[in-house]
């Protein structure tokens, strides 16, 4: 089987991770039990997830001319990810994120975009020959929305399927043409922001998925954390259960899901197989700490996803 060629356009952040008993509430100071500095950023996380799941991956993004930027690129090269189009950005520091993780593995994240906010449509034109070779293009929303919108248009022009993970999302995203994609994979909160349909149950998640299809997405996957995924194939929706694990850190579980899905869907063209595979990848990533260090291997994902076929 030929390995799928995945291009990720998105963010690279250095995550400063604080492990705390509980997340800080507004006005509260809590003490961290441990602090670490780990490579992250939704784009780069998805690139690592896809590479470890079996893809040949290229990353397009921006870093600052600083030590964090150098570490972020060097980490991607460990997984043979092509970083020729991770561009240095003068006068901007690399993206950073403060990631708080509590004793139950739940997190709260603040991102400072830094150089990620400087990725322009012109940068994508420069990298067009890389995008043109992709079997699938992966996008998220930690770069300017105008660049995401342009990436979708360019992919259509080049006839390359697009998968959008609409994270992090704000109402601002509704001003852009982001729904005309082959696959969209919001979590429940993101689905609610995008559609106005209240999140919470399988039933409401299925309604939100139908609405995203009505708005233009060919296929929609609403991820519901450890519960499962609503898969809407453009006609009907159904619920696929998650794999149960002992989660210690859910950071980047959604990124693991998106990267793994892109690989398996390109290989099999089967939404069900790809969803089981992606859901196993998300669950496995939650059993390890950190974003990129937690991405599972293809062998481990296959071993878990075979159980649910
Ligand atoms: O999805 C997790 C990621 O969100 C973290 O790695 C952090 O950098 C933010 O982008």
């Amino acid at each position: 089987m030929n390995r799928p060629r995945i291009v990720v356009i998105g963010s690279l952040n250095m995550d400063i991770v604080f492990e705390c008993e509980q997340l800080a509430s507004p006005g509260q100071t809590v003490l961290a039990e441990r602090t670490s500095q780990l490579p992250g950023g939704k784009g780069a996380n998805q690139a690592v997830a896809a590479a470890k799941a079996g893809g040949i991956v290229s990353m397009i993004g921006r870093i600052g001319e600083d030590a964090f930027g150098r570490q972020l690129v060097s980490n991607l090269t460990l997984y043979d990810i092509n970083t020729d189009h991770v561009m240095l950005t003068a006068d901007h520091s690399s993206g950073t994120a403060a990631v708080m993780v509590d004793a139950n593995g739940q997190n709260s994240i603040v991102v400072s975009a830094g150089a990620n906010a400087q990725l322009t449509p012109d940068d994508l034109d420069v990298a067009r020959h890389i995008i043109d070779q992709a079997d699938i293009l992966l996008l998220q929303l930690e770069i300017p929305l105008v660049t995401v919108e342009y990436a979708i248009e360019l992919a259509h022009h080049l006839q390359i399927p697009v998968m959008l993970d609409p994270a992090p999302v704000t109402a601002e995203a509704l001003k852009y043409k982001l729904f005309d994609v082959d696959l969209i994979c919001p979590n429940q909160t993101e689905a609610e922001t995008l559609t106005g349909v209240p999140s919470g149950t399988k039933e409401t998640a299925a309604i939100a998925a139908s609405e995203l299809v009505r708005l233009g997405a060919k296929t929609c996957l609403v991820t519901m954390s450890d519960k499962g995924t609503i898969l809407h194939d453009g006609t009907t929706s159904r619920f696929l259960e998650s794999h149960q694990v002992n989660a210690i850190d859910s950071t980047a579980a959604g990124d693991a899901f998106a990267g793994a899905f892109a690989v398996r869907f390109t290989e099999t063209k089967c939404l069900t197989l790809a969803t089981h595979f992606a859901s196993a990848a998300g669950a496995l990533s939650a059993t390890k700490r950190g974003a990129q260090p937690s991405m599972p291997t293809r062998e481990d994902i296959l071993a878990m996803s075979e159980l649910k076929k």
Side-chain angles (χ1 to χ4, degrees):
M1 188 190 301
N2 285 339
R3 287 169 65 200
R5 286 159 304 172
I6 315 281
V7 172
V8 182
I9 300 175
S11 58
L12 304 96
N13 297 330
M14 184 57 79
D15 291 351
I16 315 297
V17 183
F18 301 91
E19 289 169 40
C20 319
E21 184 59 29
Q22 57 181 46
L23 303 180
S25 309
Q28 188 187 19
T29 301
V30 296
L31 295 177
E33 279 144 26
R34 201 156 56 137
T35 311
S36 34
Q37 190 179 295
L38 299 169
K42 292 187 195 302
N45 295 345
Q46 293 184 11
V48 172
K52 290 192 76 176
I56 298 174
V57 182
S58 297
M59 173 88 209
I60 298 171
R62 280 197 168 272
I63 50 168
E65 291 184 279
D66 50 27
F68 281 174
R70 286 189 289 278
Q71 285 169 44
L72 291 168
V73 168
S74 116
N75 193 64
L76 293 187
T77 57
L78 289 178
Y79 304 101
D80 287 331
I81 295 168
N82 179 325
T83 58
D84 290 352
H85 288 272
V86 176
M87 291 156 272
L88 286 177
T89 314
D91 303 326
H92 292 273
S93 44
S94 295
T96 47
V99 181
M100 268 72 68
V101 182
D102 74 11
N104 298 317
Q106 297 301 307
N107 65 58
S108 164
I109 303 180
V110 178
V111 172
S112 173
N116 295 304
Q118 304 305 313
L119 189 73
T120 64
D122 286 349
D123 293 331
L124 305 192
D125 283 336
V126 172
R128 186 184 167 121
H129 59 290
I130 301 275
I131 300 169
D132 198 20
Q133 289 165 15
D135 292 314
I136 189 165
L137 177 65
L138 269 178
L139 299 168
Q140 330 71 37
L141 303 182
E142 280 184 339
I143 55 173
L145 295 170
V146 69
T147 306
V148 179
E149 186 181 67
Y150 184 72
I152 294 170
E153 274 171 31
L154 182 60
H156 287 331
H157 180 70
L158 299 173
Q159 298 186 313
I160 292 162
V162 183
M163 178 167 183
L164 172 66
D165 179 358
V169 75
T170 62
E172 181 72 10
L174 299 172
K175 296 183 190 155
Y176 294 80
K177 280 196 255 161
L178 302 179
F179 296 123
D180 186 15
V181 291
D182 298 270
L183 297 142
I184 191 166
C185 58
N187 65 21
Q188 284 174 281
T189 317
E190 290 150 4
E192 177 171 345
T193 305
L194 292 171
T195 63
V197 178
S199 62
T201 66
K202 286 186 223 172
E203 291 70 27
T204 55
I207 296 169
S210 307
E211 180 60 8
L212 286 165
V213 167
R214 193 189 67 75
L215 289 167
K218 290 200 183 77
T219 306
C220 177
L221 299 144
V222 180
T223 56
M224 303 179 65
S225 184
D226 59 349
K227 293 196 208 71
T229 306
I230 292 286
L231 164 59
H232 196 303
D233 62 10
T235 311
T236 53
S237 68
R238 65 209 163 88
F239 177 73
L240 301 179
E241 268 179 28
S242 283
H243 302 78
Q244 296 308 310
V245 292
N246 185 18
I248 59 164
D249 180 359
S250 62
T251 309
D255 303 330
F257 182 100
F261 186 96
V263 169
R264 201 64 180 143
F265 183 66
T266 305
E267 288 171 344
T268 65
K269 304 288 178 243
C270 173
L271 288 168
T272 308
L273 281 182
T275 305
H276 284 313
F277 186 80
S279 152
L284 285 167
S285 82
T287 64
K288 292 204 177 130
R289 294 198 186 280
Q292 285 165 39
S294 74
M295 295 305 166
T297 62
R298 179 179 177 89
E299 293 66 37
D300 287 347
I301 305 170
L302 279 173
M304 181 178 264
S305 63
E306 292 289 311
L307 301 173
K308 289 259 178 190
K309 254 194 342 195

